[in-house]
Amino acid sequence: MELTWSLSELYTGVDSPEFSKDFDELTTELKKMSEWVQTNLSEPTNPTKKLEEYIMLKNRLSRFDNLFVYTDLAITTDATNEQLTKWIDKLEELSVDYTNQDVLVKQFLNQIKDLPAVISSSPLLLEHEFVLAEMQDESRYMLSEAEELIIAKMEMTGSSLWQKLWEHLTSVLMIDITIDGEKKTLPLSEIRTLAHAHDADLRKNAYTCELYAYSRIDTACAFSLNGIKGEVLTTSKMRGYESPLQMTLQQSRMDKQTLDAMFAAITDHLPTFEAYFLHKAKLLGAKEGEGLPFYNLFAPIGKMEVSYTVDESKKYVVSAFSSFSEKMGAFAAHAFDNQWIDFMPREGKRGGAFCENLHNLKQSRVLTNFSDSFESIVTIAHELGHAYHNSCLHGQTPFNNSCSMPIAETASTFSECILTKHVLQQSTSDTISMQILENDIQGLAQTVVDIYSRFLFEDEVFARRGDGSLSVAELKTIMTDAQKKAYGCGLDPAAMHPYMWCCKPHYYDAGYNYYNFPYAFGSLLSRGLYALYREDKEKFVPLYDQMLTVSGKSNLYDTAKMCGIDIHDKAFWNKSLALVKEDIDTFISHK
């Protein structure tokens, strides 16, 4: 099995004839599209015909998405490639035309007094009813065509460039470390995988080296973060949003009532997670009541050292997915066998993991930084959960293909849940079962507790950034304060992670603010979905696929309601967290 992904299905390179041809055609087609929009959407006359034609043109134009997807994927494993960087800049310049078209379409929709009547007169418009109504609602926050165009162009030399600086700094950051008496220089992505090492001294050493390395780039990262968050505050205020949070909730197709209900339940259950952290610290040698050092958050539990290979990850994931449905199992096997996954960390490759939808090819690509831990297998299951979600959307038109972050993270964490529960059912070793159970709780602690700390951090950064730029020292303090509030006594105050803002890509994308609460939403909603799956598998599996299929044209409340779940009700979130408490109680009581 190949350990690197294949991008040749898109292009063999930016210097290939196919890439050049598509780029030239995109330039031409964007010009034609812009002329059509300018000519036809200046007046709200004959709206049915115009909207039908616009949707057909927009769907056809989506074939050029391959250009953007290819360059974005290629740069994540080759950060120093200057040729790729130049092409990304060229594509970003062209993308301004997309922004301009979007503004004019929304202005056109804003002038239509009875959009539901217009939509009901056309089968094509009815198919895209939700997105059209959403665009009309968004038009309330649009500036003039000239202003939106200026913002789009300024972003190219503002937040976009700050983001590229951060990506470059963290991708090429090499860190000196001594392992088993041998001095090594490793990329940041590889250093971070050592948090899962069995050797306690190695974990602590990697943590110390990582924090020191951030001190070499923290000023540049702080400038990047200030630049990005400052721009978001300015543009969101100009457009009439109450705050970046309100803007993000609207983009997430989520209401404040849902967010408040979820966080209220999480706050109530923080003592449960605190008990888990304290118990884990004790198992790792801490005194009674001592918190867990940050470098031990991902420490394996138990004396049995179990390591896993990439081939074993395939076995576990395919088997687990097949237990859910033959369709899902076959999908996972296809992804492993056809170079959809880039597994191993290496110099020039960005850290973390993600999944990219290749809608035109009806495929996906997954990036991970695999170590030999079971957690790495869970990560693959998570990303393939995204890929499976993408496959459910591949039957939709490109116009209906975009789903919100919270439901995307539901699909991914539900796949994690399938994997863990299946492996636990199949395990014949009590010791390994407890290790896997702890790994599952560990992951939940990240998506609930650590995500809460990251939300608190970003919320505070936005609150303070309005009064001026924040220094490295301020950012570190805000982060540790957020960790103390979320982790309570469960985290050792002498060994926290003040630089968590330096290593998380989510903070550095102006288009994805508060890229944290969707993970908590997905993690807890997936628990509720799994409970329904256990009750009636035959009924649930097709319902789940249908839920994912329509997720691009439905808000979160209505999507969850398809499965009989009320996400406005704190009781639902408490019920999901009660299931987590059962697992934590089992782990703590195990002898």
CSV table of all heavy atoms in Angstrom, one decimal, residues 170-171 173-175 185-192 345-349:
chain,number,residue,atom,x,y,z
A,170,THR,N,5.3,27.2,10.3
A,170,THR,CA,5.1,26.0,11.0
A,170,THR,C,5.4,24.8,10.2
A,170,THR,O,5.8,23.7,10.7
A,170,THR,CB,3.6,25.9,11.5
A,170,THR,OG1,2.7,26.1,10.4
A,170,THR,CG2,3.4,26.9,12.6
A,171,SER,N,5.3,24.9,8.9
A,171,SER,CA,5.7,23.7,8.0
A,171,SER,C,7.2,23.5,7.9
A,171,SER,O,7.6,22.3,7.8
A,171,SER,CB,5.1,23.9,6.6
A,171,SER,OG,3.7,23.9,6.6
A,173,LEU,N,9.4,24.6,10.2
A,173,LEU,CA,10.0,24.7,11.5
A,173,LEU,C,10.7,23.4,11.9
A,173,LEU,O,10.0,22.4,12.0
A,173,LEU,CB,9.0,25.1,12.6
A,173,LEU,CG,9.5,25.3,14.0
A,173,LEU,CD1,10.5,26.4,14.1
A,173,LEU,CD2,8.4,25.5,15.0
A,174,MET,N,12.0,23.4,12.1
A,174,MET,CA,12.7,22.2,12.4
A,174,MET,C,13.2,22.3,13.9
A,174,MET,O,13.6,23.4,14.3
A,174,MET,CB,13.9,22.0,11.5
A,174,MET,CG,13.5,21.8,10.0
A,174,MET,SD,12.5,20.4,9.7
A,174,MET,CE,13.6,19.0,10.0
A,175,ILE,N,13.0,21.2,14.6
A,175,ILE,CA,13.3,21.3,16.1
A,175,ILE,C,14.3,20.3,16.5
A,175,ILE,O,14.3,19.1,16.1
A,175,ILE,CB,11.9,20.9,16.8
A,175,ILE,CG1,10.9,22.0,16.4
A,175,ILE,CG2,12.1,21.0,18.3
A,175,ILE,CD1,9.5,21.7,17.0
A,185,THR,N,17.1,16.3,14.3
A,185,THR,CA,16.3,17.5,14.0
A,185,THR,C,15.1,17.1,13.2
A,185,THR,O,15.2,16.5,12.1
A,185,THR,CB,17.2,18.5,13.1
A,185,THR,OG1,18.4,18.8,13.8
A,185,THR,CG2,16.5,19.7,12.8
A,186,LEU,N,13.9,17.3,13.8
A,186,LEU,CA,12.7,16.8,13.3
A,186,LEU,C,11.7,18.0,13.0
A,186,LEU,O,11.7,19.0,13.6
A,186,LEU,CB,12.0,15.9,14.3
A,186,LEU,CG,12.8,14.7,14.7
A,186,LEU,CD1,12.1,13.9,15.8
A,186,LEU,CD2,13.2,13.8,13.5
A,187,PRO,N,10.8,17.8,12.0
A,187,PRO,CA,9.8,18.8,11.7
A,187,PRO,C,8.8,18.9,12.9
A,187,PRO,O,8.6,17.9,13.6
A,187,PRO,CB,9.1,18.3,10.4
A,187,PRO,CG,9.4,16.9,10.4
A,187,PRO,CD,10.7,16.7,11.1
A,188,LEU,N,8.1,20.0,13.0
A,188,LEU,CA,7.1,20.2,14.1
A,188,LEU,C,6.1,19.1,14.1
A,188,LEU,O,5.7,18.6,15.1
A,188,LEU,CB,6.5,21.6,13.9
A,188,LEU,CG,5.3,21.9,14.8
A,188,LEU,CD1,5.7,21.9,16.3
A,188,LEU,CD2,4.7,23.3,14.4
A,189,SER,N,5.6,18.8,12.9
A,189,SER,CA,4.5,17.7,12.8
A,189,SER,C,5.0,16.4,13.5
A,189,SER,O,4.2,15.7,14.1
A,189,SER,CB,4.1,17.5,11.4
A,189,SER,OG,5.2,17.1,10.6
A,190,GLU,N,6.2,16.1,13.3
A,190,GLU,CA,6.7,14.8,13.9
A,190,GLU,C,7.0,14.9,15.4
A,190,GLU,O,6.7,14.0,16.1
A,190,GLU,CB,8.0,14.4,13.2
A,190,GLU,CG,8.4,13.0,13.4
A,190,GLU,CD,9.5,12.4,12.5
A,190,GLU,OE1,9.7,13.1,11.4
A,190,GLU,OE2,10.1,11.4,12.8
A,191,ILE,N,7.4,16.1,15.8
A,191,ILE,CA,7.6,16.4,17.2
A,191,ILE,C,6.3,16.2,18.0
A,191,ILE,O,6.2,15.6,19.1
A,191,ILE,CB,8.2,17.8,17.5
A,191,ILE,CG1,9.7,17.8,17.1
A,191,ILE,CG2,8.1,18.2,18.9
A,191,ILE,CD1,10.6,17.1,18.0
A,192,ARG,N,5.2,16.7,17.4
A,192,ARG,CA,3.9,16.7,18.0
A,192,ARG,C,3.4,15.3,18.2
A,192,ARG,O,2.6,15.0,19.1
A,192,ARG,CB,2.9,17.6,17.3
A,192,ARG,CG,3.2,19.1,17.6
A,192,ARG,CD,2.2,20.0,16.9
A,192,ARG,NE,0.8,19.7,17.3
A,192,ARG,CZ,0.3,20.1,18.5
A,192,ARG,NH1,1.0,20.7,19.4
A,192,ARG,NH2,-1.0,19.8,18.8
A,345,PRO,N,4.4,11.8,8.5
A,345,PRO,CA,5.0,13.2,8.6
A,345,PRO,C,6.3,13.2,7.9
A,345,PRO,O,7.0,12.2,7.8
A,345,PRO,CB,5.1,13.4,10.1
A,345,PRO,CG,5.2,12.0,10.7
A,345,PRO,CD,4.4,11.1,9.8
A,346,ARG,N,6.6,14.4,7.3
A,346,ARG,CA,7.9,14.6,6.7
A,346,ARG,C,8.2,16.1,6.6
A,346,ARG,O,7.2,16.9,6.7
A,346,ARG,CB,8.0,13.9,5.3
A,346,ARG,CG,6.9,14.4,4.3
A,346,ARG,CD,7.0,13.5,3.1
A,346,ARG,NE,6.0,13.9,2.0
A,346,ARG,CZ,4.8,13.5,2.0
A,346,ARG,NH1,4.3,12.7,2.9
A,346,ARG,NH2,4.0,13.9,1.0
A,347,GLU,N,9.4,16.4,6.3
A,347,GLU,CA,9.8,17.9,6.2
A,347,GLU,C,9.0,18.5,5.0
A,347,GLU,O,8.9,17.9,3.9
A,347,GLU,CB,11.3,18.0,5.9
A,347,GLU,CG,11.8,19.4,5.9
A,347,GLU,CD,13.3,19.5,5.7
A,347,GLU,OE1,13.9,18.5,5.8
A,347,GLU,OE2,13.8,20.7,5.6
A,348,GLY,N,8.5,19.7,5.3
A,348,GLY,CA,7.7,20.4,4.3
A,348,GLY,C,6.2,20.1,4.2
A,348,GLY,O,5.5,20.7,3.5
A,349,LYS,N,5.8,19.1,5.1
A,349,LYS,CA,4.4,18.7,5.1
A,349,LYS,C,3.8,19.3,6.3
A,349,LYS,O,4.4,19.3,7.4
A,349,LYS,CB,4.3,17.2,5.2
A,349,LYS,CG,2.9,16.7,5.3
A,349,LYS,CD,2.8,15.1,5.4
A,349,LYS,CE,1.4,14.6,5.6
A,349,LYS,NZ,1.4,13.1,5.6
